[in-house]
Amino acid sequence: ALEPIEVFYQEVSSGNVIERKLHIPFLTKWDDSANISCVADQGFPGVAPLKIATVQLKVYYPPTVSTPRQTVQAQEGGTANLTCNVDGNPASVFSWKKVG
């Protein structure tokens, strides 16, 4: 859950326009694709409905790589199925390499 630490308010000199900026100081990969909404409410539910504008966060983070099994057994002449899990944004290009 995003909890804004600092919110800045700035009035623009043209008419009744108010610019409101939100500062989120520390994003993590868990905040990726979060929808953040700006809600305008004049306090008159039967006369002026809420107005909402939404922004989707795209948080970029480096890949993490894991294999669910550290050892896979196979018979000579047989096959082996190996699994690799990669999480990162943007999506990573990855491949298998034999070490040693």
Side-chain angles (χ1 to χ4, degrees), residues 8-21:
F8 301 99
Y9 300 96
Q10 176 184 353
E11 264 190 49
V12 177
S13 60
S14 62
N16 295 328
V17 176
I18 299 173
E19 180 179 294
R20 187 167 287 174
K21 294 183 180 182

Side-chain angles (χ1 to χ4, degrees), residues 2-99:
L2 292 173
E3 296 180 13
I5 302 297
E6 300 177 40
V7 178
F8 301 99
Y9 300 96
Q10 176 184 353
E11 264 190 49
V12 177
S13 60
S14 62
N16 295 328
V17 176
I18 299 173
E19 180 179 294
R20 187 167 287 174
K21 294 183 180 182
L22 174 65
H23 173 72
I24 305 171
F26 186 78
L27 295 170
T28 68
K29 70 178 189 175
W30 307 112
D31 298 316
D32 184 45
S33 297
N35 291 313
I36 307 296
S37 296
C38 177
V39 181
D41 182 4
Q42 291 179 313
F44 300 104
V47 178
L50 294 175
K51 296 293 183 178
I52 300 172
T54 302
V55 172
Q56 186 179 58
L57 290 177
K58 289 293 181 191
V59 179
Y60 297 110
Y61 54 93
T64 57
V65 181
S66 65
T67 53
R69 298 175 63 190
Q70 298 299 312
T71 303
V72 174
Q73 296 180 3
Q75 301 232 344
E76 184 176 24
T79 60
N81 293 313
L82 308 175
T83 302
C84 179
N85 299 318
V86 178
D87 176 34
N89 190 25
S92 299
V93 175
F94 62 98
S95 61
W96 289 95
K97 296 185 180 191
K98 184 177 178 183
V99 179

